[in-house]
Structures are given as structure tokens and as C-alpha cells.
Amino acid sequence: MRNFIELMRQQGRVEEIESPCSTVYEAPRMASRTDKILFFHDLDGRRGVMNLLSDRRSLAAALGVEERDLVGHLAGMTCSGRVVDAGRLEGGIPADLSRLPVMKHFPGDAGRYFTSGIVFSRYDGVENASIHRMMVLDDGRVVARLVEGRHTHTLLKEALARGEKLPVAVTVGTHPLVTFAACTRVPEGKELAYAAELMGGELAVRECENGVRVPDAEIVLEGYIGAEKATEGPFVDITGTYDPVRQQHVIEFTKMYCKEDPIYHGILPAGDEHKLLMGAPYEPKIYRAVGEVTTVRDVLLTKGGAGYLHGVVQIRKNTQGDAKNAIMAAFAAHTSLKHVVVVDEDIDIHDPHDVEYAIATRVRGDTDIMVVTGVRGSSLDPTRLGDGTNVKVGVDATMVMGKEDEFRRAEWV
């Protein structure tokens, strides 16, 4: 992570915050007002960073590609990186969360939350890595939101069914491409291999005392998840609204490892970094799916759609029905997608005004809008029904084939 921060410094993307700053509301509020990386030199006496990966330019820089090639580059990944065993993780002290500048982000939050922690787990030879929000209970325990059906929850159920606990290790202050990999749906157990591929082909990992393997990080918290539960929430999620309060599993930490003068990484809930990490991993998945039905050019999950619920897909039509096929492919690839707009190559999908122009001039409501009811939607969408279903809308905002001259915009010579 330090190497990435230095790269961003060289590009003028880091703002140094030298004055003391509070972990309660103040640092999160500052992060909400800029897309620059904020490096706090005195975050309640510690060092910290926010907005590490708050825009696509930063993600492209981390990958070493042009921003315009980002989605196509990611769509070509095959989880083929090499994970290198670098031995045991040495040292460590008894876990003490009071030593870390864990933030309280909004007045309605139930407490201080880890938001960037990657939960690495390993059980019966199967590994997983994913981000879970974790509310601090005391100096050695957190309660984590483990989404039912996701891999961490599945491994935990297997361990509990055998009367065992699930060994985990949480990293904070990890390279942003490893964080991105942990946010991406990949084949079971392939998160580290995918991270290695993103990092250029190879990723070194060290083994904790409990058998869990972790990559380089500023902070590693080692422990176990058992049957104990506690109240989790309220907490602001991706839409900027409060997620329901639930009974969730407790993680008990037994040990912590820290680099000298570690840099804590905090992600602002519903902020730009949260939106990018939540939605951008689905863009290559949509890209590949749409590419199966027509010629796909680019995909974007928009900030205005919470980086997750709204998408724009740019295609080159080969037949008149391609846009509607693209709509169906996008919904199948990202089941939480709520509204998607399909546009032609001349529309800049990163410009909301251009997308709106396409809707205004290329859409007939009776023929170009698809409404699909009774389908699975996002659990984060406040409009979802009690049974978890919702309504999806697809908009064909492309030109009618054979009549392109009637839709083309005037251009300067």
C-alpha cells in the first residue's frame, strides 16, 4: 500500500493532513468532500489514509493501464496469478483494537467500524477473502456483517456444524488491488490468485498461527469466528441509507501484527471508494456477458446509482435487437442491477448529460423500455419488496439501424 500511496503522491493525488484530526466524524467528513487521497499524519495520534481508490483513474494507475481500457483489461483476467508462500508471519502481540484509529463515520452509526478490513479465512483446505464491515465491541472483539450465502458465511456454517470455529485473519492497509480482488466474485478459492494476476502475476503470502494465509498489510488481526452473536448496526451502506440492525457473528482476535508506525486505511461508507469497490468489479462481468450477444465497447456502474444499482452499457449494434439482448445479459451478469441504459458508440457513458441526451432523443417509451417484475434485486435497495424481489427497467437508447442519419449529431469540420 505504501508503494501505491507514493505513486499517487508523484501524480499529485495525495493531500497531506498534518494537523490533528478526529476519528469521530471529522476524518470521514473531510473524505466526503474530495476524491483525492487524504493522508492523515495525526489521526487521533496515529497515521491513516482515506479515499485510497476513490476513482477510476486511481484504479487504472494501480493496474498500469489507461483509464479508457480499464474494463476491457479487467474482463480479460483469468485468475491465473501465482501465489507464493513466503513463510510464517512472525512476531505479533496480543490483540488490542484500542491501538488503532477505527472511525465512527455518521452520528446514527452504532459505533466504530472497520470498513476496509479484508477477512481471509481458511477451512478444510478452502480459502476465501472478502470485505466485511466490523463494529468494534471491545479491545479484542468485533461483530461482523456476514451476508448469508456468501463464502465466509458458508465456511463458518461448515466449521460450526463440526463443532469448530472458523480461523480468520483480517488485514487493514492492504494494496488496493488486493482489496479490489477481495471485492470481486471469482471462482471459489481464487481470490489470492486473482489478486496475484492484478498485481502483475505474483503475490507473496505469509501464514498466521491459525493457518490462514495473508498478503502484505499494515495491520493483521488474527482470530476466530464462532457461534457467538451480537447486535450489529445501524450502519450506513452503499445507498447512503441505514442498513437494518441484525444479530451477527462475533470475531474474537487473539493476536495482532503491525508494521512500524502503521498506516490505517478507512473507507467512507457510501463514499466514492465504497462505490467503486462495490460496483467496478461487476463491470468486467457485465462486459463479458454483453460481449456474448453483441459487440460491447464499455460498461459503467454510475456514481448516481450508488455505484451498484445503475448501469450504462455502450455497444455497437449488429442487428436491431442487440440492445435488448444486451439489457438481458447485463441483468443476468449482475443480479443487483436495477436500471440499465444501453447506448451507441458515439455516447460518452462517463458523461451523465450525454447519456441523458441519448435517452431524450433515441427512446420511445412504448417500444424501447423493458420492465421486468418479480425478479431478484439488491437487499440494499430501499424499494425492495418483502420477499426480496424488485422491478428492473432496461432502456434501449440506441439509434434505429438503417436510420442513423436521422439521429446523428452535427459535428465541426
Coordinates of all heavy atoms in Angstrom, one line a residue, residues 31 34 157 211-212 236 241 264 286 352 379 382 391 393 407:
A31 N -13.1 13.3 4.0 CA -13.0 12.4 2.9 C -14.2 12.6 1.9 O -14.1 12.3 0.7 CB -12.9 11.0 3.4
T34 N -13.8 15.4 -1.1 CA -12.7 15.3 -2.2 C -12.6 13.9 -2.7 O -13.0 13.0 -2.0 CB -11.4 15.8 -1.6 OG1 -10.4 15.8 -2.6 CG2 -10.9 14.9 -0.4
K157 N -20.5 -21.8 8.5 CA -21.5 -22.9 8.8 C -20.9 -24.3 8.8 O -21.3 -25.1 9.6 CB -22.6 -22.8 7.7 CG -23.6 -21.6 7.9 CD -24.6 -21.6 6.8 CE -25.5 -22.8 6.7 NZ -26.5 -22.7 5.6
G211 N -3.2 -20.8 10.7 CA -3.2 -21.5 9.3 C -3.7 -20.6 8.2 O -3.6 -21.0 7.0
V212 N -4.2 -19.4 8.5 CA -4.7 -18.6 7.4 C -3.6 -17.8 6.8 O -2.7 -17.3 7.5 CB -5.8 -17.6 8.0 CG1 -6.3 -16.6 6.9 CG2 -6.9 -18.3 8.6
V236 N -24.4 2.9 7.9 CA -24.8 3.4 6.6 C -24.1 2.5 5.5 O -22.9 2.2 5.5 CB -24.2 4.9 6.4 CG1 -24.3 5.3 5.0 CG2 -25.0 5.8 7.3
T241 N -28.2 5.2 3.0 CA -29.2 5.0 4.0 C -28.8 3.9 5.0 O -27.8 3.2 4.7 CB -30.5 4.5 3.3 OG1 -30.2 3.3 2.5 CG2 -31.0 5.6 2.3
Y264 N -3.3 3.2 8.9 CA -4.6 2.6 8.9 C -5.4 3.1 7.7 O -5.3 4.2 7.3 CB -5.4 3.1 10.2 CG -6.8 2.6 10.3 CD1 -7.0 1.3 10.9 CD2 -7.8 3.3 9.9 CE1 -8.3 0.9 11.1 CE2 -9.2 2.9 10.0 CZ -9.4 1.6 10.6 OH -10.7 1.2 10.7
I286 N -20.2 -7.8 -16.5 CA -21.3 -7.4 -17.5 C -20.7 -7.3 -18.9 O -21.3 -7.7 -19.9 CB -21.8 -6.0 -17.0 CG1 -22.5 -6.2 -15.7 CG2 -22.8 -5.5 -18.1 CD1 -22.9 -4.8 -15.0
P352 N -22.9 12.0 -17.7 CA -24.4 11.8 -17.5 C -25.2 12.6 -18.4 O -26.3 12.2 -18.8 CB -24.6 12.3 -16.0 CG -23.2 12.2 -15.4 CD -22.2 12.5 -16.5
S379 N -30.5 -6.5 -1.9 CA -31.0 -6.3 -0.5 C -30.8 -4.9 0.1 O -31.3 -4.5 1.1 CB -30.4 -7.4 0.4 OG -29.0 -7.1 0.5
P382 N -33.7 0.3 -0.9 CA -34.9 0.6 0.0 C -36.2 0.3 -0.6 O -37.2 0.1 0.1 CB -34.7 2.1 0.2 CG -33.3 2.4 0.0 CD -32.9 1.5 -1.2
V391 N -38.3 -4.7 -9.2 CA -38.6 -4.4 -10.6 C -37.4 -3.9 -11.3 O -36.7 -3.0 -10.7 CB -39.8 -3.4 -10.8 CG1 -40.1 -3.1 -12.2 CG2 -41.0 -3.9 -10.1
V393 N -35.7 -2.2 -14.8 CA -36.0 -1.5 -16.0 C -34.8 -1.4 -16.9 O -33.7 -0.9 -16.5 CB -36.5 -0.1 -15.7 CG1 -36.8 0.7 -17.0 CG2 -37.8 -0.1 -14.8
F407 N -30.5 10.5 -36.6 CA -30.1 10.6 -35.2 C -28.8 11.3 -35.0 O -28.5 11.8 -33.9 CB -30.1 9.3 -34.5 CG -31.5 8.6 -34.4 CD1 -31.9 7.8 -35.4 CD2 -32.3 8.9 -33.3 CE1 -33.1 7.1 -35.3 CE2 -33.6 8.3 -33.2 CZ -34.0 7.4 -34.3

